[in-house]
């Protein structure tokens, strides 16, 4: 998480929005976990090292009699990706007035403009520029969503974890964004990753 103090305006009616804004600004995932003592939140940096490596033997499990592909991939089209990201925030240098920093891929002219409202946060101007660049780049790097099934041997993997997939057709690091138990296939988990 940020190694420097962050100033924020907290709306007591919507405290959760502050966590969402911080996660977008500082590139971490918020993971809700349950244990014997109740609900807890974990914060996982998106730049973390992979926690596991999976191969063909680990992914693509199915209860079907028909052969299934080991994974599916869905790629976001160019026109759906951001060409320009604007970050609106409170600038300390401007007496806490709302200011905007933006980043643009000038050679990419097919996308959309994205406005991010981080006006609950007081951010230094240089950091706001970094945030807009990181969001723009991340959206292009994570444009492909993968889905695949694994056994309960991998139940310790949580959303936010980075894993490496090494198969003959795919060799990449991905970030798990969703874990679900397959309803029609007990003992299997479906992971969604970007």
């Amino acid at each position: 998480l940020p190694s420097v103090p962050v100033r924020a305006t907290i709306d007591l009616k919507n405290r959760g929005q502050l966590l969402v804004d911080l996660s977008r600004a500082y590139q971490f995932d918020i993971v809700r976990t349950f244990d014997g003592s109740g609900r807890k939140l974990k914060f996982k940096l998106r730049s973390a090292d992979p926690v596991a490596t999976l191969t063909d033997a680990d992914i693509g499990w199915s209860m079907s009699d028909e052969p299934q592909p080991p994974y599916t991939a869905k790629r976001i089209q160019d026109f759906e990706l951001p060409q320009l990201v604007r970050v609106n925030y409170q600038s300390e240098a401007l007496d806490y007035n709302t200011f905007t920093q933006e980043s643009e891929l000038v050679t990419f002219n097919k996308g959309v403009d994205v406005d991010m409202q981080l006006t609950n946060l007081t951010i230094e101007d240089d950091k706001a520029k970094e945030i807009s660049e990181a969001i723009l780049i991340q959206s292009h790097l994570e444009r492909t969503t993968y889905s695949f099934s694994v056994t309960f041997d991998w139940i310790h993997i949580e959303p936010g974890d980075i894993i490496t997939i090494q198969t003959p057709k795919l060799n990449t690091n991905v970030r798990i964004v969703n874990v679900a138990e397959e309803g029609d296939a007990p003992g299997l988990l479906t992971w969604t990753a970007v």
Side-chain angles (χ1 to χ4, degrees), residues 16 75 92 143 156 160:
R75 188 170 170 89
E92 186 175 0
R143 71 186 295 179
H156 61 280

Side-chain angles (χ1 to χ4, degrees), residues 51-89:
V51 298
T53 299
L54 282 75
T55 65
D56 269 341
D58 302 310
I59 65 172
W61 287 83
S62 172
M63 295 295 188
S64 173
D65 294 335
E66 299 294 319
Q68 300 293 318
Y71 62 90
T72 59
K74 181 181 176 188
R75 188 170 170 89
I76 295 174
Q77 299 297 313
D78 286 349
F79 65 87
E80 298 174 275
L81 291 168
Q83 176 185 359
L84 176 109
V85 172
R86 288 184 200 93
V87 173
N88 301 306
Y89 61 99

Side-chain angles (χ1 to χ4, degrees), residues 15-107:
R15 293 177 294 241
Q17 186 61 43
L18 178 61
L19 287 176
V20 171
D21 290 349
L22 286 169
S23 72
R24 292 162 72 192
Y26 293 96
Q27 301 293 299
F28 65 88
D29 290 313
I30 303 168
V31 181
R32 291 178 182 90
T33 61
F34 302 93
D35 62 13
S37 63
R39 295 181 182 195
K40 292 185 179 180
L41 294 178
K42 287 185 182 178
F43 305 102
K44 296 188 175 197
L45 286 175
R46 292 184 181 165
S47 60
D49 292 329
V51 298
T53 299
L54 282 75
T55 65
D56 269 341
D58 302 310
I59 65 172
W61 287 83
S62 172
M63 295 295 188
S64 173
D65 294 335
E66 299 294 319
Q68 300 293 318
Y71 62 90
T72 59
K74 181 181 176 188
R75 188 170 170 89
I76 295 174
Q77 299 297 313
D78 286 349
F79 65 87
E80 298 174 275
L81 291 168
Q83 176 185 359
L84 176 109
V85 172
R86 288 184 200 93
V87 173
N88 301 306
Y89 61 99
Q90 291 181 32
S91 173
E92 186 175 0
L94 295 174
D95 294 328
Y96 302 97
N97 287 307
T98 300
F99 194 64
T100 302
Q101 291 286 354
E102 61 184 44
S103 295
E104 180 177 15
L105 291 175
V106 293
T107 58

